[in-house]
Amino acid sequence: MAIEHPRILLVDSYDSFTLNLASLLKQSIPNCIIYIIKNDAFTIAQLLPFLPAFSAVIVGPGPGSPENDRDVGLIKDLWNLGEHSVLPMFGVCLGLQSLCVAHGAELKRLDVVKHGQISRVQHTGTFLFQGVGTVRAVRYHSLHVVLRQGGCIEQLAWVDDGAENGHVVMAVRHTSKPFWAVQYHPESVCTRGGGVEVIQNFWQLAQDWARKVQPRTTPWNSSLQEMFGDPWPSFLRARPRMPISQFPGVTTAVLDLPHITVAAVCELFGVCNEERPFVCLDSAAQPGRFSIVGSLMPESLQITHFVGDNSVSLTRGRHTSQEILGDRDIWTWLSDFMASRRVHEGHPDIPFWGGLIGLLSYEMGAHSLCTVKGKRCHPDVNFVFVERSVVIDSATGRVFVQSLIPNDHWIAETTKAVSGLNSQPMRPGLPTGKANITLPNKDRYLCRINAAKEYISAGDSYELCLTARTTVSLPKSTSWRRYQALRSKNPAPYSAYLRLHPTTLLSSSPERFLSTSRPPDSVFHLRPIKGTVRKAPGVTRAVAEEALAGSVKEVAENLMIVDLIRHDLHTIVGEDVEVKQFCVVEEYETVWQLVSVIEGRPSVQDGLLGWEMLRSSLPPGSMTGAPKKRSVEILQTLEDDERGIYSGVFGYWCVGMGSDWSVTIRSCFKLDDDSSDSETWEMGAGGAITALSDAEAEWEEMVVKLNSVVGAFT
């Protein structure tokens, strides 16, 4: 008789694919209830009395080695449970290695690492592979096991890597205990034939074992609930209802002005006055569509915060006050701030009605994964609350003039002023004086690429997004003219000009990080970019597709980030996550890029979910690598400087509860300084280091990315 609601314990080794595995279990085991614990959350002695409450244990993947106690925690003890404590277990990757090592197998490094690569798996057609046909599986491993002859671990599947690695074990079983495991990743989006089918077979084997042995079982009770918490997905269950806002609505005037440019509107609103704050999110190229120009008032509220502080700074004009966070963190404070300003009705054709525009630093996300070093000059949170704005739709030529202020005469005045504007293209800024460019030290960068590859070979990461900082110092000029030069040289779909003291950011980013459509039909949409080819004579689309979509290395990089993002989405969305586009070559102004698209639909419509999604997925996986936590820790040892603004995100959070955030790349920023006649702009660049990376080629790719920004200063 089948178990009606089996409880599954999933042991997470701080991996970035764990929730993909949880989703696969939900697909494969009818009505299962999944509880997730970290591998160091309990000792085996603490866990042992509670194991009879579960039908099976899944030992997930993770970074590191099964021979390192820090990497596996209690997992090493699960495989050696006494006869009366045993229950069915299934291991993935690190799970297989730990099972085999616990029973005498030898652990070795692969000669050629396999991260994000797809292999055809041969199998016996028995046990896990009963009735399974062809298996093409994604592999993420640099270590492998060699089984002991005559031991209790039996091989069920393998690959033949030929001259690279020879014979590599891909699946095993214990000959007398209900333990099974696979080396490949059944949960990867590109695994075919060895995912659902294998998990279903595992569950059938587990039930057969339970019928035969009739193990001791424990009913679920309050003690278990307190120890293991809510089952996955737990976030949606815990959501409080969003408070009803009394904030007034938005007033909008719509104009048909196809000749109007973003530059003309910006200059109408005083962008040339460097002393005033200014925000413009500029869709300067496809697939961007809507450009947003804020018309800030002297009393417009600016919100800043530094990681580690227990306060938030609130600035209106020349007056700044501090608000103590108390038992709230900055994420909760901002969530409460926006909940009280929610607007339910605005023009349905545009994504932004008003709200927060600004940026979040890389460390704003990284500090939740590890300790960040020191305090930065630039705030980690820097937003302005925009009540008056103009939205330009490049697809239709319509211009939307809107205000959150009741009975605002500014609407009529601005409508008249905008209607009278002449077409005014962006004027490229002229360099002022000689630019002193300080590039990263090439020898040091190459050395750190090789150090990153050693971490990857040791199993600590699948991919490390190594970056370095460049500075450009030159005589002071207006930042608006600098932005015009950058936009002219490298127009991008997620360009931006953000002047929010003490930071000025100029962006020509090609990469959307996360967008959230407004309720009641919220969809989370991500567009990770991995893989870049510079445009040049002879570099046609066909050439670019061969170099990107036809490259094992480039596709592997992209696949790793796609799988990581799916995991991040599952944190908030639950099960409904779909890869809409995988590794498609897209054309940009100066480069070809390899782009994937992932979407998630939350089962509960809540205006604050987009904010929670952003919080749980920072820093961007495309700028860290996978697994994210271990990769961020390693990158701190490989990079000289904190990243600050670079590789964080910028964008908006609308009062209608939609949002759109882009990755801060192909960008530069400066710390405002009125006391000097010169200025220094900072920019970061880098690339995803994998086992297949060539150090010189990675350096050249970093320089290509850098030149798209540096060129605006020379």
Side-chain angles (χ1 to χ4, degrees), residues 250-253 265 269 279 291-296 350 352-355 357 386-392 399-404 408 410-411 414 418:
V250 57
T251 304
T252 308
V265 176
F269 289 166
V279 290
S291 294
I292 301 166
V293 183
S295 179
L296 304 183
I350 54 175
F352 181 80
W353 297 338
I357 292 180
V386 176
E387 295 170 279
R388 294 169 169 171
S389 58
V390 168
V391 177
I392 302 169
V399 176
F400 302 80
V401 181
Q402 55 189 359
S403 175
L404 297 174
D408 193 353
W410 175 88
I411 292 278
T414 303
V418 170

Side-chain angles (χ1 to χ4, degrees), residues 112-133:
V112 178
V113 172
K114 298 293 180 179
H115 285 158
Q117 295 186 43
I118 303 171
S119 297
R120 179 163 181 169
V121 176
Q122 302 176 60
H123 57 79
T124 60
T126 59
F127 299 103
L128 294 177
F129 298 93
Q130 181 71 43
V132 174

Side-chain angles (χ1 to χ4, degrees), residues 1-9 24-34 53-58 87-90 127-130 178 180 195-211 215 217:
M1 178 176 170
I3 302 172
E4 187 174 354
H5 292 286
R7 284 186 292 272
I8 308 296
L9 182 63
L24 180 64
L25 293 170
K26 281 279 193 180
Q27 295 175 51
S28 309
I29 303 176
N31 304 314
C32 70
I33 304 170
I34 299 172
F54 295 95
S55 305
V57 175
I58 308 297
L87 72 167
M89 291 197 280
F90 180 83
F127 299 103
L128 294 177
F129 298 93
Q130 181 71 43
W180 298 268
V196 169
E197 305 89 339
V198 165
I199 301 296
Q200 288 174 338
N201 280 341
F202 160 72
W203 181 238
Q204 185 60 55
L205 291 165
Q207 291 181 97
D208 292 344
W209 176 86
R211 281 191 290 268
T217 59

